[in-house]
Amino acid sequence: TGLLQCCDLKDIKLAYRLNKAMEKGDNWKFLDMDRLNSYWSKFFSLLCMMEQIDVVLKWYKDMSPSLFYPTPKNILDLLQALDAANQLEKVPLVW
């Protein structure tokens, strides 16, 4: 629910802090696979909305598919972020 609040508030700094807490030790083990994938999906959507495109692409490269499998919404968010940044030539990087 913490990440959902970050998304509602569009608070990327808070989302990064929450993510840092998730990465400490074995904290991620408290979530089952469905919730963990949902967490990463929401985090990535917030990144697409709030971060610079180079940061988004770095997270995408680091996260997909090892941490999460992007949903169609995540791909749409990424394409919209590329479009907003006038970086559509980078679309092949996500395939």
Side-chain angles (χ1 to χ4, degrees):
T1 61
L3 189 60
L4 194 53
Q5 290 172 339
C6 296
C7 292
D8 289 345
L9 297 172
K10 294 179 178 56
D11 190 337
I12 192 70
K13 288 182 182 182
L14 184 58
Y16 277 128
R17 287 177 51 204
L18 178 62
N19 188 60
K20 189 170 249 179
M22 280 288 297
E23 291 179 341
K24 283 194 180 201
D26 291 335
N27 287 347
W28 62 272
K29 290 182 180 179
F30 290 107
L31 297 176
D32 61 32
M33 288 307 291
D34 288 338
R35 287 187 183 185
L36 196 55
N37 201 47
S38 178
Y39 166 83
W40 286 117
S41 179
K42 286 179 175 66
F43 182 70
F44 185 73
S45 287
L46 185 62
L47 288 172
C48 288
M49 187 179 358
M50 303 300 294
E51 275 292 4
Q52 298 292 321
I53 195 62
D54 291 335
V55 173
V56 172
L57 289 172
K58 182 186 179 318
W59 275 97
Y60 180 80
K61 181 182 174 200
D62 292 346
M63 292 169 59
S64 173
S66 60
L67 293 176
F68 88 116
Y69 292 101
T71 65
K73 182 187 179 328
N74 292 134
I75 299 299
L76 180 60
D77 290 341
L78 179 55
L79 292 174
Q80 288 173 338
L82 287 167
D83 188 31
N86 199 25
Q87 298 285 322
L88 289 176
E89 71 276 1
K90 293 185 178 180
V91 168
L93 295 176
V94 301
W95 269 206

